[in-house]
């Protein structure tokens, strides 16, 4: 009983880029052909269900208790979220979900999974990101206004900013376009609201896009996040650990942050023969399939209410 009461005072948030959680069916009008059984990646039902099972396992391993809300990036559509919540290891946790339906050419979206006894959505919206000249259509921002089990109103944004393809500087305006949409909505919410902005920003903590959000009064509470087993970021590129996944909160929530860490459970990692050390055990190395998890590691933030 005491353990249950102690856990109930926390709200646990997990953020994860799932690395191409595609089903095996073609979505008309989307460039998902490579993730079909006869596509370049030979994405069979067996591989798909292994992926669903592994993502469920990865999410459940993030905390001693079942996470309350989870922001997911690189999920294709409603069918994969339904399978993840109903037919994976998460099936007994009772998760519900909301997700975008974006103009992204590949058909990937973002989602928020939540335990309805711990977080109740009051309304939600898709924030469109108007493409700049020469910019590919990108993911909408998912906005969910909800009430936590404590009665507090939370404003949660899930982001997947455009990639750094073509170079970080050349592609920077695309990510700044995402920031502008966030700032516009923040203005309408007000400075005293309890806000969480999380996702894959495809930028480091000191990038112009993140600095602009700090100027809007937000704090990057995962800026110094480290793994429980020592990793120094959520993503490993050529042997170097970086974090392009972040959790930002408004001033009304900074004092409620109890702990922050990266879930670097050993089963989520593999040895890196080219660069030494370890790296995330991902599903594809280039085009070579391996039954891994994701090329990103999950971020975990625990909020505490007295």
């Amino acid at each position: 009983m005491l353990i249950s009461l102690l856990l109930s005072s926390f709200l646990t948030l997990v953020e994860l880029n799932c690395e191409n959680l595609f089903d095996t069916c073609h979505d008309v009008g989307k460039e998902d052909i490579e993730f079909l059984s006869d596509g370049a990646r030979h994405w069979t039902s067996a591989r798909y269900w292994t992926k669903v099972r592994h993502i469920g396992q990865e999410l459940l391993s993030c905390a001693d208790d079942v996470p309350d809300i989870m922001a997911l990036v690189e999920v294709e559509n409603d069918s994969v979220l339904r399978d993840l919540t109903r037919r994976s290891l998460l099936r007994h946790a009772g998760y519900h979900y909301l997700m975008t339906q974006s103009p992204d050419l590949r058909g990937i979206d973002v989602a928020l999974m939540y335990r309805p006894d711990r977080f109740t959505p009051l309304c939600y919206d898709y924030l469109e990101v108007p493409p700049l000249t020469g910019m590919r259509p990108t993911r909408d921002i998912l906005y969910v206004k909800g009430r936590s089990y404590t009665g507090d109103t939370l404003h949660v944004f899930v982001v997947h900013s455009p990639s750094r393809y073509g170079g970080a500087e050349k592609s920077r305006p695309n990510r700044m376009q995402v920031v502008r949409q966030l700032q516009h909505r923040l203005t309408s919410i007000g400075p005293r609201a309890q806000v969480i902005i999380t996702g894959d920003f495809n930028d480091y903590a000191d990038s112009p896009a993140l600095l602009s959000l700090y100027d809007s009064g937000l704090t990057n509470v995962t800026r110094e996040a480290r793994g429980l087993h020592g990793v120094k970021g959520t993503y490993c590129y050529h042997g170097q650990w970086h974090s392009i996944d972040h959790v930002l909160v408004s001033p009304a929530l900074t004092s409620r942050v109890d702990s922050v860490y990266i879930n670097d459970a050993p089963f989520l990692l593999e040895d890196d023969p080219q660069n030494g050390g370890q790296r995330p055990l991902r599903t594809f190395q280039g085009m070579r399939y391996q039954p891994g998890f994701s090329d990103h590691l999950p971020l975990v933030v625990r909020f505490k209410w007295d």
Side-chain angles (χ1 to χ4, degrees):
M1 178 65 72
L2 177 59
I3 293 176
S4 176
L5 289 173
L6 289 173
L7 290 177
S8 69
S9 65
F10 290 95
L11 185 80
T12 303
L13 164 73
V14 171
E15 183 277 338
L16 174 64
N17 181 319
C18 297
E19 189 203 356
N20 296 319
L21 181 52
F22 280 83
D23 63 18
T24 59
C25 300
H26 174 49
D27 285 354
V28 176
K30 298 298 183 181
E31 299 175 2
D32 61 356
I33 303 300
E34 64 181 313
F35 282 94
L36 302 180
S37 59
D38 57 352
R41 296 184 184 271
H42 305 290
W43 193 238
T44 63
S45 292
R47 290 181 174 186
Y48 168 68
W49 286 111
T50 296
K51 177 80 171 182
V52 169
R53 185 175 68 252
H54 279 185
I55 293 297
Q57 180 185 4
E58 181 169 8
L59 292 170
L60 278 180
S61 71
C62 287
D64 293 335
D65 52 328
V66 179
D68 299 300
I69 53 178
M70 299 196 282
L72 304 183
V73 173
E74 285 197 17
V75 290
E76 185 186 18
N77 52 34
D78 181 79
S79 69
V80 302
L81 263 295
R82 185 174 62 251
D83 289 340
L84 185 61
T85 55
R86 300 292 180 263
R87 303 181 68 182
S88 78
L89 296 175
L90 299 172
R91 62 187 177 274
H92 298 302
Y95 283 107
H96 292 194
Y97 62 88
L98 295 166
M99 69 180 307
T100 57
Q101 294 180 324
S102 302
D104 178 84
L105 297 180
R106 296 178 63 228
I108 56 175
D109 284 290
V110 302
L112 186 75
M113 288 172 44
Y114 59 92
R115 292 172 53 193
D117 61 323
R118 305 284 286 174
F119 179 79
T120 304
L122 301 174
C123 62
Y124 68 96
D125 195 6
Y126 310 147
L127 308 187
E128 297 180 358
V129 182
L132 303 173
T133 301
M135 175 182 168
R136 289 164 56 99
T138 192
R139 281 72 60 174
D140 292 345
I141 301 164
L142 178 62
Y143 165 62
V144 183
K145 176 183 178 181
R147 183 172 292 119
S148 74
Y149 72 98
T150 63
D152 290 82
T153 298
L154 301 178
H155 301 263
V156 184
F157 296 82
V158 185
V159 173
H160 186 190
S161 293
S163 75
R164 300 160 72 92
Y165 181 78
E169 185 172 350
K170 183 178 179 180
S171 60
R172 180 178 299 153
N174 302 340
R175 293 184 293 282
M176 292 299 298
Q177 182 73 332
V178 172
V179 169
R180 280 188 283 272
Q181 311 317 308
L182 288 168
Q183 290 172 325
H184 178 72
R185 181 54 65 95
L186 289 173
T187 299
S188 66
I189 292 174
R192 297 184 179 180
Q194 298 186 96
V195 176
I196 301 170
I197 302 178
T198 185
D200 180 352
F201 289 79
N202 270 308
D203 256 329
Y204 305 136
D206 59 354
S207 68
L210 273 295
L211 292 174
S212 292
L213 290 172
Y214 306 156
D215 288 341
S216 296
L218 298 165
T219 298
N220 187 345
V221 297
T222 56
R223 186 168 189 158
E224 303 298 329
R226 294 292 183 266
L228 298 178
H229 296 85
V231 304
K232 298 179 179 180
T234 60
Y235 187 78
C236 190
Y237 183 70
H238 292 327
Q240 298 296 315
W241 286 97
H242 304 280
S243 285
I244 55 178
D245 306 275
H246 306 281
V247 179
L248 283 67
V249 305
S250 61
L253 275 179
T254 53
S255 64
R256 298 196 183 280
V257 175
D258 179 77
S259 60
V260 175
Y261 57 90
I262 298 167
N263 178 17
D264 58 346
F267 73 89
L268 298 176
L269 301 169
E270 67 173 352
D271 292 333
D272 184 347
Q274 287 80 33
N275 302 291
Q278 291 189 303
R279 63 190 181 191
L281 178 56
R282 56 191 299 170
T283 305
F284 281 95
Q285 289 290 346
M287 297 300 290
R288 180 177 62 84
Y289 171 77
Q290 60 183 19
F293 296 83
S294 174
D295 56 346
H296 290 238
L297 294 175
L299 273 176
V300 185
V301 179
R302 290 171 64 89
F303 300 91
K304 185 175 182 179
W305 273 261
D306 298 328

